């Protein structure tokens, strides 16, 4: 049995202890690997009512991209301190809910691998099939020894099922919800991706997504995010968020708004000044130098706060007239689908 340390899990469990009864914490799955149990923790704060808006954070889906887990843990540390003195933040929580699954793939984060302990890429693991793309990185079922292995087509992995259960429980019945899944390892720019990843087609929530983008652009005109559908960069099979979004539409139609976002932190930028980091295991996916890690830890706090506020005051982006929806759809076609 491997006995290496697991600092991310240790930090998470310490935070859970510090939150005490101010957060609702549960182990949503136990993953067995080499005779050791790895828990998947879920924390929720705020109202437990089903009719409040919900913002959910997910990290560590790809274990090699552990910076996503670390950014969420840093945000949880900030929230822990805010709860002691920030009356406005505490008032927000009375009318909303925050949900956190910082380490979706604990064995992958522990081992420093993209896949889980069974060799499966969790973000290629759903039954969704891509349209018009047969590249290897789109997902393959030839062998777990090759990257981007999708796993058994008849049953999703335990980690993927656990993520889906959290979304079903906390987000599907909310009138308004946003999920943000943190990744790294692609591009020079930080990107905010939205569905679809499996096809180059506007998804049903595109009008609200354009509304949210316009609001963010107005509030932070100098922000550094490239906001686009994931399929703008590449198309994949098995994307969990495409799968969950289609499930949501089948259940609720357009009565509620559910917006799954992926924050893809542009890790190629980290290699510009230190290209030799490319030859280290985490070099392409993680900022190895301490000052860069600190910069990434604080870099996205403005985005997180904006998303939270936008859920509490959705009139400008999620409560649109038919005319506004038509205008936003036309804008989306010009921006991304021309």
């Amino acid at each position: 049995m491997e006995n290496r340390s697991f600092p991310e899990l240790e930090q998470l469990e310490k935070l859970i202890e510090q939150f005490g009864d101010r957060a609702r914490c549960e182990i949503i799955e136990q993953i067995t690997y080499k005779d050791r149990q790895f828990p998947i923790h879920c924390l929720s704060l705020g109202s437990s009512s089903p009719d409040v808006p919900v913002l959910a954070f997910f990290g560590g889906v790809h274990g090699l991209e552990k910076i996503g887990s670390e950014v969420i843990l840093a945000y949880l540390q900030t929230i822990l301190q805010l709860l002691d003195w920030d009356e406005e933040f505490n008032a927000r929580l009375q009318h909303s809910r925050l949900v956190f699954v910082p380490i979706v793939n604990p064995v992958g984060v522990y081992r420093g691998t993209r896949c889980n302990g069974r060799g499966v890429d969790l973000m290629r693991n759903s039954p969704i099939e891509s349209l018009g793309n047969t590249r290897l990185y789109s997902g393959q079922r030839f062998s777990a020894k090759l990257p981007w292995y999708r796993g058994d087509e008849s049953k999703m992995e335990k980690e993927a099922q656990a993520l889906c259960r959290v979304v079903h429980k906390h987000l599907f019945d909310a009138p308004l919800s946003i999920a943000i899944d943190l990744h790294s390892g692609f591009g020079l720019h930080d990107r905010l991706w939205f569905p679809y990843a499996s096809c180059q087609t506007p998804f049903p929530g595109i009008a609200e997504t354009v509304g949210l983008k316009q609001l963010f652009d107005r509030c932070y005109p100098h922000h550094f995010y490239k906001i686009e559908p994931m399929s703008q960069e590449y198309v994949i099979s098995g994307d969990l968020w495409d799968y969950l979004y289609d499930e949501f539409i089948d259940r609720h139609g357009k009565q509620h708004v559910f917006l799954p976002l992926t924050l893809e932190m542009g890790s190629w930028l980290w290699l510009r000044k230190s290209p030799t980091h490319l030859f280290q295991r985490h070099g392409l996916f993680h900022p190895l130098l301490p000052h860069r890690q600190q910069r990434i830890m604080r870099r996205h706090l403005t985005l997180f706060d904006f998303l939270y506020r936008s859920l509490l005051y959705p009139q400008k982006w999620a409560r649109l007239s038919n005319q506004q929806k038509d205008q936003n759809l036309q804008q989306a076609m010009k921006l991304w689908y021309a």
Side-chain angles (χ1 to χ4, degrees), residues 49-61:
S49 172
D51 61 354
V52 298
V54 180
L55 177 59
F57 296 81
F58 300 86
V61 171

Side-chain angles (χ1 to χ4, degrees), residues 281-293:
R281 175 187 287 270
H282 287 93
L284 182 59
F285 305 94
H286 189 77
L288 298 180
L289 299 178
H291 73 278
R292 289 184 188 152
Q293 292 179 22

Side-chain angles (χ1 to χ4, degrees), residues 293-310:
Q293 292 179 22
Q294 293 170 9
R295 185 183 306 145
I296 300 304
M297 295 302 178
R298 62 178 181 266
R299 183 178 178 91
H300 304 290
L301 292 178
T302 298
L303 171 66
F304 297 166
D305 185 65
F306 168 80
L307 292 175
Y308 194 5
R309 290 176 180 275
S310 71

Side-chain angles (χ1 to χ4, degrees), residues 6 10 53 60 71 84 127 140 151 159 203 230 272 298 310 337-338:
F6 193 166
E10 292 166 7
V71 168
D84 281 342
Q140 54 83 21
E159 299 92 338
F203 79 120
M230 183 174 172
R272 273 186 163 177
R298 62 178 181 266
S310 71
Y337 303 104

Side-chain angles (χ1 to χ4, degrees), residues 177-222:
S177 59
I178 295 176
I180 183 163
D181 181 16
L182 279 68
H183 288 257
S184 62
F186 177 84
L188 290 169
H189 302 282
D190 291 339
R191 286 170 162 82
L192 269 180
W193 281 335
F194 54 83
Y196 284 120
S198 57
C199 61
Q200 295 178 328
T201 304
F203 79 120
I206 192 66
E208 290 80 8
T209 304
V210 171
L212 188 66
K213 177 186 183 304
Q214 291 172 340
L215 189 61
F216 191 48
D217 290 344
R218 282 167 47 200
C219 293
Y220 302 99
H222 307 296

Side-chain angles (χ1 to χ4, degrees), residues 153-330:
E153 61 183 338
S154 66
K155 185 179 181 181
M156 291 197 297
E157 296 294 298
K158 285 185 175 182
E159 299 92 338
Q161 292 184 52
L163 184 153
C164 290
R165 287 198 300 272
V166 171
V167 175
H168 291 158
K169 176 180 178 180
H170 289 286
L171 284 77
F172 264 28
D173 292 327
L176 182 60
S177 59
I178 295 176
I180 183 163
D181 181 16
L182 279 68
H183 288 257
S184 62
F186 177 84
L188 290 169
H189 302 282
D190 291 339
R191 286 170 162 82
L192 269 180
W193 281 335
F194 54 83
Y196 284 120
S198 57
C199 61
Q200 295 178 328
T201 304
F203 79 120
I206 192 66
E208 290 80 8
T209 304
V210 171
L212 188 66
K213 177 186 183 304
Q214 291 172 340
L215 189 61
F216 191 48
D217 290 344
R218 282 167 47 200
C219 293
Y220 302 99
H222 307 296
H223 73 77
F224 40 77
Y225 298 100
K226 185 176 183 181
I227 304 172
E228 61 185 2
M230 183 174 172
S231 59
Q232 189 94 346
E233 300 298 338
Y234 53 83
V235 174
I236 66 171
S237 293
D239 185 86
L240 291 176
W241 297 111
D242 283 12
Y243 173 72
L244 284 163
Y245 188 80
D246 284 348
E247 268 198 334
F248 174 82
I249 291 297
D250 288 343
R251 182 182 300 189
H252 290 294
K254 295 186 178 181
Q255 294 179 345
H256 295 177
V257 174
F258 166 49
L259 179 57
L261 299 173
T262 297
L263 170 55
E264 182 75 20
M265 291 174 273
S267 59
W268 297 356
L269 189 64
W270 309 334
L271 295 171
R272 273 186 163 177
K273 293 183 179 179
S274 306
T276 57
H277 288 176
L278 183 62
F279 301 102
Q280 300 186 42
R281 175 187 287 270
H282 287 93
L284 182 59
F285 305 94
H286 189 77
L288 298 180
L289 299 178
H291 73 278
R292 289 184 188 152
Q293 292 179 22
Q294 293 170 9
R295 185 183 306 145
I296 300 304
M297 295 302 178
R298 62 178 181 266
R299 183 178 178 91
H300 304 290
L301 292 178
T302 298
L303 171 66
F304 297 166
D305 185 65
F306 168 80
L307 292 175
Y308 194 5
R309 290 176 180 275
S310 71
L311 283 174
L312 296 170
Y313 306 102
Q315 291 78 10
K316 291 292 186 180
W317 69 276
R319 303 288 183 257
L320 303 175
S321 67
N322 288 335
Q323 181 181 3
Q324 290 172 317
K325 289 183 178 181
D326 289 341
Q327 291 173 346
N328 285 3
L329 178 58
Q330 293 174 18

